Amino acid sequence: MNALTFPILRLLADGKFHSGEDLAQQFKVTRATIWNAVNHAETLGIEVFSVRGRGYKLPQAIEFLDENEVLKAIGEQRAWFKLEVLDEVASTNTILMQSKHAAHATCVAAHVQTSGKGRRGRTWVSHLGSSLTFSLLWRFQCGAAALSGLSLAVGVALMRTLHGFGINQAQLKWPNDVLIDSKKLAGILIELQGDMEGPSAAVIGVGVNLNLPKNVLHNIDQPAIDLASTSVPIDQNELLGVLLKHLADVLSGFEQQGFIGLRDEWLSHHAYHGKPVRMHLPDGRDVQGVVKSVAEDGILLVETALGLQRFSAGEISLRGV
Ligand code: ATP
C-alpha cells in the first residue's frame, strides 16, 4: 500500500500529462515521493507513462466509482445497502468472508483487486478503470443447504441489468457465467457462511469486464470480451447501482420461493439450452450430451448416452461442443 498512489491516480484519471513538480507541490511532498507512489501503481499492474519534461500520464482517461452516483442509480432501495468503495484490496469476497459482523446487504466494491478469485482457486483478472469488481453480503434465514440454485439466481439479476441497458446479446452459461458471442463478459463467485440448517449468509462476488486493454483481454486463458465491444456506453456507477437493485429483487424472491420462481427466466437466457455440450468432471473425464433443463435446485439436466444425467455446479465445468 502507498497512501499517495490513489490520490495521484485520481488526478491522472483525466488521461492528461501532470508534471512530477506539480504533483509534488499539490501533495506537499518531494518528487521522489511522487515517483515512489507511481511505482507502486505499476506494481498493481497499472500502466503509467512517464515522459521526461512532461510528467506522468495514464494511457487513457479512466473513471473511478463514485458512491453517491451508485446509490442514486439504485433508486428507492438504496437505504437497504451499505456501500463501501475501496481503492486496493486483495479480494472483495475475502474482505466480506472475513468480516463476521458485516451488516446484511453490505456491498464492497474495489478499484483494484490484487488477488481476484474465481471458482476453485482460479484467478479473476481485473484492471483499474476497466473492470467492475464487487461483492455483496446477503443474509438468509434459511440454512446454506437451501441455497443451491443461488448462483443461478444471481445470473438472472445480471441478465435483467444487461438487457435493461440494451445488451440483449448477453447470455448465461451454467452455472453462472455471463457470455456475449460465447466469450466471457462476467463471472460470479459465491461463498457461503453459516451452517446447513441456518441462518446463513452468502458473499456474492461479481466481476464485469468494462473495457479491458486488448493485451489483458487476450492474455485471459479462455475467450473473454468486455462491454466496450458492444458499443453500448454504460456508466459503471449506473451499472453497479442498477445491478444492486436487481440483486435485491432477485435475492428477496429467492429467499421466498427458491430458484424455482426464476427458473424459466434463467432458461430463457441459457446459451446452451437444447445444445450439445461437454461436461468436464473433477476426475478429468468428459461427458457429452444435450442440455435439457435445470432442476429446481439449479442442477443441470443433460441427456447423455447413458440417459438423463444430473450435474451439480460445485466441481463441474460446462463447455460447448
Ligand atoms: P466454469 O468452470 O464455470 O466454466 P470458469 O472456468 O469460467 O468456470 P470461473 O471460476 O468462473 O471459471 O472463473 C475463473 C476463470 O475465468 C479463470 O480461470 C479464467 O479462465 C477466466 N477469467 C479470469 N478473469 C477473467 C476476465 N476478466 N474475463 C473473462 N474471463 C476471465
Side-chain angles (χ1 to χ4, degrees), residues 79-92:
W80 292 21
F81 292 92
K82 182 172 173 283
L83 175 65
E84 236 181 295
V85 178
L86 303 177
D87 283 332
E88 175 190 342
V89 299
S91 138
T92 54

Side-chain angles (χ1 to χ4, degrees), residues 138 140 146-161 172-178 188 190 204 206 243 246-255 257-263 265-267 269 294-299:
W138 203 262
F140 294 90
L147 296 183
S148 60
L150 177 64
S151 68
L152 282 78
V154 170
V156 170
L158 272 149
M159 286 299 104
R160 288 184 187 173
T161 305
L172 292 168
K173 187 195 82 167
W174 181 90
N176 58 12
D177 285 351
V178 176
I188 298 165
I190 298 194
I204 299 162
V206 179
L243 181 48
H246 285 303
L247 278 167
D249 290 344
V250 161
L251 295 171
S252 308
F254 181 88
E255 173 130 51
Q257 288 184 287
F259 174 62
I260 184 74
L262 298 162
R263 180 168 65 174
E265 190 176 351
W266 189 92
L267 282 173
H269 293 298
V294 282
E296 293 179 13
D297 49 6
I299 280 179

Side-chain angles (χ1 to χ4, degrees), residues 65-79 81 83 161 165 234-246:
L65 279 168
D66 176 327
E67 282 180 23
N68 288 328
E69 292 297 316
V70 176
L71 290 171
K72 221 190 282 173
I74 296 174
E76 281 172 13
Q77 283 137 306
R78 82 188 69 163
F81 292 92
L83 175 65
T161 305
F165 280 109
I234 302 182
D235 175 83
Q236 60 169 328
N237 296 309
E238 235 180 286
L239 177 63
L240 176 54
V242 174
L243 181 48
L244 287 173
K245 174 184 116 54
H246 285 303

Side-chain angles (χ1 to χ4, degrees), residues 119-120 122 125 173 177 184 209 221-222 317 319:
R119 300 199 301 151
R120 286 165 271 162
R122 287 183 292 219
V125 175
K173 187 195 82 167
D177 285 351
K184 192 157 162 175
N209 299 329
D221 61 2
Q222 61 173 294
S317 295
R319 294 288 179 260

Side-chain angles (χ1 to χ4, degrees), residues 268-290:
S268 72
H269 293 298
H270 192 207
Y272 292 97
H273 191 59
K275 302 244 169 81
V277 292
R278 188 165 55 83
M279 305 301 291
H280 186 66
L281 308 186
D283 62 9
R285 277 186 309 132
D286 276 354
V287 176
Q288 292 215 11
V290 173

